[in-house]
Amino acid sequence: MNILVTGGAGFIGNHVVRLLVNKYPQYRIINVDALTYAGNLENLHDVENASNYVFEKINLLQADELSTIFTKYNINTVIHLAAESHVDRSIVSPLDFVYTNIIGTVNLLNAAKKYWKLNPSDKNLFYHISTDEVFGTLGATGLFAETSSYAPNSPYAASKASSDHFVRAYAETYNLPIVISNCSNNYGPFQFPEKLIPLFTNNIIEKKALPVYGDGNYTRDWLYVKDHALAIDLILHKGKIGSTYNIGGFNEWKNIDLVKLLCKLMDEKLNQPIGTSDKLITYVKDRPGHDKRYAIDANKIKNELNWQPSVNFEQGLNETIDWYLENTQWLKNVTSGNYQQYYEKMYFERQ
Ligand code: NAD
Ligand code: TYD
């Protein structure tokens, strides 16, 4: 397989690339990423010299360059992760999300459609990675199933919903072989410190305020990123063409309870009195359109593909915090912007 992974330098992408490069030496993994603020090649330092790995710095908006990649590497499989991914940024700058998440996805679909002759006997796959946020919000009970209606509430969710619809439409209209998965909130190493868990971990290290939106009684379903990568590997190989799969952690937490657990674990690890980090909790103005609750019914992937999370939350959170504490230089590079020089040093200068 020649697998084009988009967004491989981002948070989830680097775990997917690492898993595929190490597990399948017979495959070639072509990582296409624009290296926006969220893309960091340092994340892939351990596999950058692997013989089955290639990096190409291309923006999804460069339609011609994208097409060239299909020919250059004889791409037969796409795993599409690249996106603008942060809700707060989408509230400030919705058009960035339209460009990358919608137009970028359509550019990629067009490149695949053009290169693959869409002959039913060809073994091609366009695997689109999406989010549970497309389904909108839940009340106190209920779960999102694959059949739930789309009702996105943030510009981010609306752009991802739109991209899902385009992927589906390309399957219906042009017979493009597709699969989509919609996953709940991920956490783990290498997550950009703008999302809840790495932001608050970094702020505790730096003794800065922990800005909890609204009353903190918002619920998310958290999944360890390596379990998401394993689910992606399974769907890539065993997923039914044309299907969608919901992926979740069976692990709901109210934000404030999660933040208090994080504070306690950080106090223990930093050898400071329990309650020290709690004092940093600051309730701030709510996020507009803030979704009350997300929760996934992941029974389809469990029953059909025998997937379930392998890491329980306490274990995953402990491993994640340990990783950030052991990699404070990574956090410093990311928060200072230094990481953006990595590409110039490691790739650009070689050419
Ligand atoms: P991320 O923001 O950490 O990484 C996104 C990557 O895409 C970066 O490497 C960035 O450089 C690249 N990128 C952005 N715009 C690009 C463009 N125009 N052209 C090429 N590359 C571009 O995101 P993430 O958290 O790793 O999420 C990856 C995917 O998974 C996204 O599609 C997201 O919607 C989805 N998802 C994320 C979560 C989560 O909790 N993080 C949960 C479910 C689904
Ligand atoms: P986030 O990590 O941004 O993911 P998403 O919005 O995709 O769920 O936020 C997770 C939850 O944490 C969400 O309910 C918003 C809340 N939150 C805060 O309370 N404060 C913060 O500073 C951030 C970034 C998020």
Side-chain angles (χ1 to χ4, degrees), residues 88-131:
D88 292 326
R89 286 179 190 259
S90 80
I91 294 167
V92 177
S93 194
L95 263 182
D96 290 343
F97 289 69
V98 173
Y99 289 131
T100 287
N101 298 0
I102 306 178
I103 299 173
T105 298
V106 175
N107 282 342
L108 192 61
L109 286 163
N110 282 339
K113 172 174 157 287
K114 190 169 108 189
Y115 187 65
W116 301 340
K117 301 292 176 267
L118 303 185
N119 180 343
S121 64
D122 290 346
K123 289 239 171 310
N124 297 319
L125 179 66
F126 190 106
Y127 179 4
H128 178 59
I129 306 296
S130 192
T131 168

Side-chain angles (χ1 to χ4, degrees), residues 58-75:
I58 293 173
N59 194 305
L60 295 178
L61 298 175
Q62 296 168 280
D64 291 345
E65 283 81 346
L66 267 186
S67 269
T68 310
I69 292 295
F70 279 76
T71 323
K72 184 171 170 190
Y73 297 105
N74 187 21
I75 298 296

Side-chain angles (χ1 to χ4, degrees), residues 263-278:
C263 286
K264 180 175 148 284
L265 293 173
M266 287 295 285
D267 286 345
E268 285 167 3
K269 288 176 196 290
L270 295 169
N271 282 322
Q272 54 194 29
I274 302 293
T276 308
S277 301
D278 269 34

Side-chain angles (χ1 to χ4, degrees), residues 86 133 185 194-196 199 211 213 220 255 287 290:
H86 189 39
E133 302 193 28
N185 285 60
E194 62 181 356
K195 308 276 167 67
L196 182 73
L199 175 72
Y213 297 159
R220 297 291 182 265
N255 289 344
R287 171 190 277 174
H290 199 166

